[in-house]
Every structure is written in C-alpha cells, then in structure tokens.
Amino acid sequence: MSTERRLADWLSTRTPEQQAAIFARAELVMRGNADHDAAHLLLRHPAATALIAHCTLPETQVLAAVVWLAEQAYGPFQEGYWSHDDPARRAVPRADVLDIVGGSDPELRSAAEAVLAALQDAAVVLPPHGDQVIVSNLAHLHLGGGLGLGRTAGELMAAYLNAGEVHRVADALGLPKAPNRDTAERAVLATLADPERVLALLAEAPEGVVDWAREILEHGSRLRTLAFRPLGGLVHLANPRYAYAAGKGDAATDWLAARGLLLPAGLPDMAELPREVAVALLGGVRAPFAPHPPEPPAEPPAPVDVDGSAQAAAIAAAAQIDRLLAACAAQPLGLRKAGGVAVRETKRAAKAAGVEERVARLWLDLCAQADLLGVLSEQPQAVRGRRGRQSEPPSAAMPTTAYDDWLRLPPAERLAPIIAAWASANEIFTYWPDPEETRVALVRPADWTAVGLRHGVLEALDAAPGAPVPYVLERARWHRPHQVSDGPQVAERVLATLNEAELLGVVAHGALTRVGRAVLDLLRGGRPWRAADESLRQALTELLPRARSTAVFQADLTAMAGGTPAPELAELLDAAADRESEGHAVVWRFTPATIRRALDSGHTADGLLTRLADVAESPLPQPLEYLIKDVGRTHGRMRVVRSGCCIRSDDEALLDELVRARALRTLRLRRIAPTVLISSAPERETLDGLRAAGYAPILESETGTTVIEKVPQRRAPTRS
C-alpha cells in the first residue's frame, strides 16, 4: 500500500475536528475533497510546509534526525514539492531515530517517543509503518542537512583549502612532514577521524576552548568569524579557497582554526566545525535534542493588577477604534497611488481618534484585517489624449457593509474580531524594517513568520510572567524555531509585538491577561479566525465592564457616562452633543449647534427631551431643557419646499432678513408672496447655504410633511 493511500485511510479515522486542526495547521482549505486528495495535498502541496513551520524546537530536531538518517542511507533528496516519489522509499528505522536523538538516556528516549507521537497526530510524521519512520517529501526538502553536525573534514578541506593550507594544518597537529598534499590530507583526516585523538587534542587546549566549541555546536556547527580570509582578496565563486588569518578571531576561535578543528564554510566570514569534531564532543553521532523549554528566571516579578491595566487598555482601544471608523465613515481616507493611506489622511484619522499616528496606523490595519474597513474605487473618468487612455479610478478607504452591524454590538463583541485579526495577521504592523521608508497603513501583509513569533511570545509570557525580553526571545525561539529567527532585528520585532499586545489588553506588565490566555488557546489549537472564538468573546465580556445605558446630565450642559456607553446611548448623545473627552468615562457637551444638528436629522424638541430624560439617571437640568426649547422655537421657522425651490415662513420679517442677507446672495432669493421666497439654487444647495449663514431650516415635501434628512452612507464591500 502506498504512503498516500495509508495516509488517506488514517485521516478517515480522525474526527472532523482533528482533520480541521491538521488542515488549518497546514494552511489548506478542504471543502468536499476526498481523503485521497487530502493526503496528496498534505504530502506534496507547498502550503503544507506550514506543518513543519509550526513545529517546536524538539519536534524540528526529531524531524531533522529522520531526514539526516535518510540522507545517509539514500543520499540527498533531489525532488521538489510535486514529486510523486513515495516517501516510504526514504523510510528509516524507528530505533535509529531514538538512538541518534535519545542515545542511552531513558528520559531522553521517552521524550523522543512522545515527540514522535505528537508529530504523528499532526500528520507531520506519517501513520505507523511497522518499525519504520516516514516523513513527507516536504520535510526532506526543507530539513536536509539540518542536524547541525556539519560536513566532514574531508569535504571542507577538499572544497576550500589549497595545498599550502593543508600542510599548515598538518604541521599544527604535530604530524610528520608529508611529500604532497594528498599524503598530508590523509594524515590530517586520520587524526580527526579518531575521537580519542580529537579529545586528547582538546584536553591540551587553553581554558574556554572546549566550552566555545560546544556552544558553536549547539547553534548548528557554523559561526561568523574573520579567522579565514579568501585567497587573492576576493571570493572566487566557482573555486573558493581560504587561508587561516591568525589573530582575526577571538583566542578560542583562532586556536580551533589553526589546528583544522574549525574550517572555512565556503561563504564569506563563515566557518564550520567538521563533523568529526562534533562526533567527538557528543560522544557519538547524536542529534541535538532539547525536549524542555528554557527555564524561566529564578525570581518571579512582584504581583501587579494585570487585568485592571488590561481593562483600561481594552476600553481605550475600543473607543479609539470606534472614533476612527466614525471619522472614516464621515470622510473616507484617500489612498496613495503607490498603495496605502496617504500620510496627511493618517494624520487626520489620528487626530479624530485622539491617538498617535503609529497607533492610528495599527487600528486602520487591524480594522482592514477584521473586514470592517475596505477600499472602494470609483468609476474611472475618461481622459482626452492619445489612444483614449483613462485615468486611474480614485480610491478611498471607508467602513465596509459589516460596519453598521458591528456598531450595534456590545463592547466585548466589537473588540473580539479586532483581537482575532491581530492574532492571525501575517504582519507585525508597528514594526517597519526600513526607517527611511514612509510608514503607511493598509499595506498588504507579507510576514509569514508573524503569527509564529506572536505565538512564541505569548507562550513565553504564559510560562514566565514579567520575564525580561532576552528570555522571552529565547523561549519564543524554542516554541517556533522556524519563525523566530536569529536575525539582528528579531528583538525589535518582539518588542513591537509586545507593544501591540499591550494596546489591545492581551498583555499587561509583561504578563498574559485573561484575554491573552484566550488568544494563546486559539493559537495553540489553530482554529479558524474569521469568526472570533467564543472563549475570546467570553474573556472580553468578563474583562470589560457592562455597557452603560444611562448618563449623568449636569447643569454645565454636559453629560457623562462612566465606562463604555451602550450603542443606543452613544448614538443618541452623539446626535445631540459633541464628545469632549474619553477614558474611564465619556463626556459630551451640548451647544446650540449640536441641538440644531439633532433637529436637522429629524428629532423634535419635545421628542429629544423625552429621549434624554429616559436615559438620565436624574431629572434633566433646567439649563439643558431651556437650551433645547430655545433652539426648538427657532428651528423650522422657514421651510424649503421641493419645488425648484421655494422657502416659506410665517415670519415675514425673517423672510425680509433673508432677502437682504449678503451671505445668501448666491441663492438669488426673491419674494413671490408675503410668506414665500423662491431660490435659484436646488433644495440641497439652498439648505446648505441657509445653515452656513446661521439659520435653521428644515426640508418639507410637496405634501407639506417634514422630510427627515439622512446623509447617504457609502460603504466598501466586505471581502467575504
């Protein structure tokens, strides 16, 4: 039976939830495909490399051991992703895997068995095949040569040393003078091939040399050093040759390089421990194996109010995102031709939300990931010119059709898709690798390692709350070695991830909050992200205070709602007042202009007073009642009629004032009856002109009924 058929049969025995977890980890979407097709994709599809990318350090080490043993038995893997070669052709004995990983240590062998079982459950190690271990072609393709034992001294010397350097190594090892290169090389290789002679040589080394050699081995046998220089001053790509450069490395590196225990690796400034040295240090052919994560710092940090700080951050984030999306709905953001939101538009959005530009960019990106913000392109305008070319259609970022439903949700339900989008986004949005490049929002996510790094960071904080960044980085690398690199910028990426997590209430004071633990559970399970998981919504509900449906109205014409206002309360007060401040409480201020705005949108003075009284915790103060009634008495004293258009009012003195007003000259108003004026402008332009001049008209239909004016809502389509 082929491996593909065997895998298909094994998949058919898994529950739907187990299959979904495997396919999610492999980033494959299975919709109605037969088991045989699913097995084929898991074995050969490039997306299934995510199965390997999601492995922990010990899982990667066990896989690398399997691949290395297969290379020794069958040679290097030569095929690509779509190879139809049966992986069973490169099977290796299970006992050999346990020997090379665990040796004779019962504890290590037991840990290796557990790792193999976990890899089998994830379909990374293929289903049982007798006493053989099989991994997919993808594992052979990506983990070849990954055991960290280095190449043999014979390979390195033949490829990168000339005859003079071979004789120099022989002299440093105290070997008799040889008549030619071949004789000298055989003598050197015979010395290095004997583990006892290598250990005896290392025993004579200065203090610290052996420890340094072991440290190099722990990091994959290679290191960057200037201990070797290219012959001729330049690296010859077709035939590179290097010479020992005494004194260019540190003392321990120089000692190893002078005696052939460290040789050129074929890349500029890179050296490699030969396999013979690694075997001698390890006491045999052993794969590096770290079944347990790094130990956390000995002293735990002092306890702090983690959830209290997280609650404040989550409340602030929800309010800022609400204001930001409202600003985008009122005036969509212009986009650059090169992509992303224009810088001046980002500044406008940041001012509307009351946040720094970097935070505004983060909220814009996360809203786009959560499908609350999208891009709408208008129809291109025809342009005169050669070949009848058309201009680029103007594009703008605005809320999607999902935004209006989102507005009606309670605070926890609003924030859940934002946090889910952050956890699953293939980008660290606040990290910008090039400091000289303009930072813009709404760029296409392109960092496939971001989710793994995020997962590793949260795992580290779960194990050691408040741990310093170096430990967080080390622990994250253990959890996701393929996605947390050793590059010089990895610490900056970790810090950016922690900063984003704190802004969302996922992390506080270097520790996971209840929301952070819900996010970590989702990352561990690899569950779908489009609809936020119930556990995340529950954690946010427990963290955030219940939305307030009432407000305190004060004599200074302000209203205050402690905590987060309910959507209905916020909608009413936003219609009749301006938000003045936000934080632990939201404060609105009433003015004649805000009351006129509410009446323009269809409220009546009496109706507005009734609705405000319904949400007031105590009777409305008299100053607010007087303000609403005063504005209500003057509101609608003239009416714009839909007839090309007319203005009517029972106040003839007011109509006289309108005719003489300089601010209304563009409307060319003319009286046709004691209580009627006509305007040369359409109704909308006439209404806007009157309101701009400080008057308060209302729109009336042809039948004499009041028309409630509603600003048309433009929405971008959702991706789904």
Side-chain angles (χ1 to χ4, degrees), residues 10-76:
W10 177 81
L11 283 172
S12 66
T13 66
R14 304 294 94 183
T15 66
E17 291 76 15
Q18 290 172 327
Q19 292 184 24
I22 292 171
F23 298 142
R25 184 173 179 176
E27 296 182 352
L28 297 174
V29 178
M30 305 303 300
R31 291 197 180 104
N33 288 338
D35 289 338
H36 185 75
D37 295 331
H40 178 82
L41 291 175
L42 286 171
L43 286 172
R44 299 181 174 88
H45 197 283
T49 57
L51 287 170
I52 302 169
H54 282 79
C55 287
T56 62
L57 179 60
E59 290 172 340
T60 302
Q61 291 169 332
V62 168
L63 285 175
V66 175
V67 172
W68 190 84
L69 287 169
E71 286 179 347
Q72 308 312 303
Y74 310 107

Side-chain angles (χ1 to χ4, degrees), residues 145-151 214-223 271-273 288:
L147 199 58
L149 294 179
R151 289 169 284 181
R214 292 186 185 278
E215 186 173 342
I216 296 171
L217 186 59
E218 288 176 2
H219 291 82
S221 296
R222 288 189 176 187
L223 80 155
E272 186 173 328
L273 278 179

Side-chain angles (χ1 to χ4, degrees), residues 237-431:
L237 297 180
N239 187 27
R241 289 290 185 271
Y242 294 85
Y244 170 57
K248 295 296 183 179
D250 60 88
T253 300
D254 284 341
W255 194 93
L256 294 169
R259 290 157 182 78
L261 303 181
L262 187 70
L263 293 170
L267 296 172
D269 303 335
M270 293 295 294
E272 186 173 328
L273 278 179
R275 184 180 303 167
E276 292 87 344
V277 178
V279 169
L281 288 171
L282 293 172
V285 178
R286 289 283 304 278
F289 186 50
H292 306 295
E295 288 294 326
E299 296 184 6
V304 292
D305 183 13
V306 171
D307 283 336
S309 299
Q311 182 186 78
I315 291 173
Q320 292 163 9
I321 291 169
D322 190 2
R323 293 196 300 269
L324 188 70
L325 287 173
C328 295
Q331 185 178 351
L333 303 179
L335 304 181
R336 309 186 312 163
K337 289 185 178 180
V341 178
V343 174
R344 67 178 181 277
E345 297 287 85
T346 303
K347 291 181 178 179
R348 176 171 64 82
K351 183 177 180 180
V355 296
E356 300 176 20
E357 287 183 45
R358 65 178 184 88
V359 178
R361 285 194 298 269
L362 173 63
W363 296 154
L364 289 171
D365 282 317
L366 291 183
C367 287
Q369 290 297 302
D371 222 3
L372 295 172
L373 193 69
V375 174
L376 184 65
S377 296
E378 306 291 352
Q379 290 295 325
Q381 301 295 321
V383 178
R384 294 179 181 178
R386 292 185 303 169
R387 303 177 184 176
R389 291 181 179 176
Q390 291 184 324
S391 64
E392 290 290 329
S395 299
M398 65 188 70
T400 65
T401 53
Y403 168 67
D404 299 294
D405 292 334
W406 178 83
L407 275 178
R408 291 188 284 270
L409 298 174
E413 297 283 343
R414 288 193 192 187
L415 202 53
I418 302 292
I419 294 179
W422 172 78
S424 60
N426 288 325
E427 191 62 77
I428 301 173
F429 292 110
T430 56
Y431 169 71

